[in-house]
Amino acid sequence: MRNPPSKPWGVKTRAIHAGEHVDPVTRASSPNLVMSVTFAPEEVAGFSARNRGDYEGFLYARVSNPTVKQLEDKLAALEGAEACQCFASGMAASMGLIVGRLSMGDHLIISEANYVGTAELVRDSLPRLGLEVSPVDTSDPAAVAAAIRPNTKMLWIETPANPIMRLSDIAALSKLAREHGIRDVVVDSTFATPIATRPLELGADFVLHSLTKYIGGHGDALGGAVVGRKEDIAALNLESAVHYGGVLSPFNAWLILRGAATLPIRMKAHEETAMRVAQFLETHPRVKRVFYPGLPSHPQHELAKRQMANFSGMLTFTADDGPALARRMVEKLNVVHYAVSLGHHRSLVYWIPTDAIMRSSFRLEGEALARYRAYAGDGVFRFSVGLEDADDICADLDQVL
Ligand SMILES: *Cc1c(COP(=O)(O)O)cnc(C)c1O
């Protein structure tokens, strides 16, 4: 046994070494890709995940797999969590967490504008399962307080929120939830990553990531993860992984492990380049507004400084005649890809028209719609600033603007 470190590892060391170990048989230094579905126990062990007795080894890949486990241990270490459960995608993680934790008649409060997949899931699928859902503006703690019911079991925050980069105060909302006996505070921290924000330290119970984005970082593997307390994650493993079955493939875990190792240095570069691009856009005559948490012009810049140790690489901007600009982007961009998704080494941009996203996903009306339009107007360009040279990204944008 080697000596344990004399003080806790820094985040860069954790990103590289946490969860990983030298293979005891081959002495391989990099994580092994273990594709085996079943494992030969050294004793007569239980026959299901619920009946495994004291046997701690691997039994079946839907319960746990050695490559996925290394990623889970790394993610837990990065978030300062006791445990982690990986899923096949961010949406599998969201569904696993919501349906794994809530029962018919329970009430969920969730950001009124957030990732569209989540927005559609909670509005269309959950009511069908007998769950009550209230989409509210979670950037306003008073609005959250007003929505709390006796059966509110979960508060779901996404910050910064897709696609308008609106922030929610995790510490204030966690405190509010505690005071009202809401059992689960969940933070979808996909845009922030553990490099910017560690929600558990601010009072949250669960943190959710789409690993497809910054943590994998290279646009070649879908994945999702939930971190939290050991007993909660063990229950999630039994219910949502073992029974619902949407677990992460070992191959994707292996790719995401490699991506996660460079997360801290990538996030630093994403932030630096995003700041340059945000400043370029903010002074461009054809751009109306830029929303980037790192800019003093962001309506919640003070909260961003308090809650985010890194401003990440996501920004949103509005411009005159969005549809025509989107068309020029599709036809003319060289460096930046006109494509959905985010957090990859490549820069990605996409046009999100307000009317269309209201119909398909958010369905906001009245004041809520006015709040959204105050950010987005007729539509936003969601821009995931990649790791290319800032000058090349700005030149590419300039030729289409
Ligand atoms: C992409 C995304 C998801 C869904 O993740 P997938 O891996 O695509 O299933 C959830 N939340 C946020 C904030 C996202 O950006």
Side-chain angles (χ1 to χ4, degrees):
M1 194 58 198
R2 283 166 213 279
N3 291 332
S6 54
K7 63 181 176 61
W9 281 342
V11 69
K12 284 188 281 189
T13 310
R14 265 181 286 150
I16 293 168
H17 290 286
E20 299 188 9
H21 49 78
V22 169
D23 181 82
V25 175
T26 61
R27 307 300 298 159
S29 155
S30 300
N32 282 341
L33 171 52
V34 176
M35 293 300 286
S36 189
V37 162
T38 191
F39 298 84
E42 292 157 324
E43 57 193 74
V44 178
F47 55 82
S48 90
R50 275 197 188 157
N51 178 293
R52 57 188 294 160
D54 297 331
Y55 189 69
E56 303 248 326
F58 296 101
L59 284 174
Y60 188 60
R62 183 155 34 74
V63 182
S64 188
N65 163 284
T67 307
V68 177
K69 176 78 164 55
Q70 292 189 60
L71 175 61
E72 288 171 341
D73 289 349
K74 188 187 294 295
L75 295 174
L78 285 172
E79 282 288 359
E82 288 175 9
C84 171
Q85 172 69 51
C86 280
F87 291 91
S89 66
M91 283 309 295
S94 302
M95 186 61 177
L97 186 56
I98 294 171
V99 179
R101 298 287 296 177
L102 300 184
S103 302
M104 206 161 105
D106 287 345
H107 177 232
L108 164 73
I109 299 176
I110 188 160
S111 315
E112 66 190 8
N114 56 9
Y115 177 66
V116 290
T118 316
E120 292 163 20
L121 169 74
V122 302
R123 283 167 181 75
D124 298 337
S125 310
L126 298 190
R128 194 162 53 71
L129 302 176
L131 297 171
E132 297 172 23
V133 178
S134 298
V136 306
D137 177 5
T138 54
S139 74
D140 176 8
V144 174
I148 295 172
R149 301 176 190 169
N151 57 340
T152 305
K153 285 275 172 58
M154 185 179 276
L155 168 62
W156 185 290
I157 307 162
E158 185 177 303
T159 181
N162 191 40
I164 52 176
M165 304 304 296
R166 194 156 64 187
L167 310 182
S168 293
D169 186 333
I170 298 168
L173 292 173
S174 299
K175 186 163 170 283
L176 181 75
R178 285 290 94 75
E179 286 163 4
H180 289 82
I182 299 175
R183 191 186 57 192
D184 295 339
V185 174
V186 179
V187 177
D188 182 338
S189 197
T190 299
F191 275 37
T193 83
I195 306 308
T197 308
R198 280 183 302 283
L200 300 182
E201 291 170 10
L202 300 174
D205 300 287
F206 294 98
V207 183
L208 182 133
H209 286 288
S210 166
L211 304 175
T212 317
K213 314 295 169 53
Y214 283 110
I215 292 179
H218 296 78
D220 51 14
L222 281 173
V226 177
V227 305
R229 282 181 286 271
K230 198 166 175 226
E231 67 271 19
D232 291 337
I233 297 298
L236 201 66
N237 174 260
L238 276 186
E239 177 73 3
S240 307
V242 173
H243 293 159
Y244 308 163
V247 296
L248 185 63
S249 94
F251 184 62
N252 282 16
W254 184 73
L255 288 169
I256 295 165
L257 266 169
R258 181 159 72 168
T262 55
L263 181 68
I265 57 171
R266 280 189 290 110
M267 291 313 292
K268 196 158 186 276
H270 277 299
E271 178 189 47
E272 238 172 66
T273 310
M275 187 60 101
R276 289 268 310 278
V277 173
Q279 285 164 347
F280 162 78
L281 287 170
E282 199 164 46
T283 52
H284 199 286
R286 299 190 54 96
V287 171
K288 284 206 282 211
R289 283 190 77 178
V290 180
F291 295 97
Y292 179 61
L295 285 178
S297 61
H298 189 283
Q300 296 162 291
H301 183 56
E302 288 309 311
L303 173 59
K305 283 195 288 189
R306 210 163 62 236
Q307 188 166 277
M308 302 178 77
N310 172 295
F311 295 124
S312 192
M314 292 303 299
L315 61 86
T316 275
F317 64 94
T318 57
D320 296 324
D321 201 5
L325 176 53
R327 255 190 321 278
R328 286 200 298 282
M329 285 178 168
V330 170
E331 289 165 9
K332 296 203 159 81
L333 285 173
N334 292 314
V335 173
V336 181
H337 283 190
Y338 185 86
V340 294
S341 202
L342 58 106
H344 306 165
H345 54 339
R346 269 176 218 94
S347 289
L348 303 170
V349 70
Y350 218 77
W351 163 241
I352 302 175
T354 298
D355 287 344
I357 203 171
M358 288 304 147
R359 276 196 304 277
S360 66
S361 315
F362 296 153
R363 302 183 204 133
L364 303 176
E365 291 170 352
E367 280 180 28
L369 179 57
R371 274 197 297 274
Y372 185 91
R373 279 192 183 280
Y375 279 80
D378 293 338
V380 292
F381 288 91
R382 187 186 65 190
F383 193 9
S384 172
V385 179
L387 299 176
E388 303 94 341
D389 290 290
D391 287 345
D392 293 333
I393 297 171
C394 294
D396 205 23
L397 287 172
D398 199 34
Q399 57 111 1
V400 293
L401 282 165

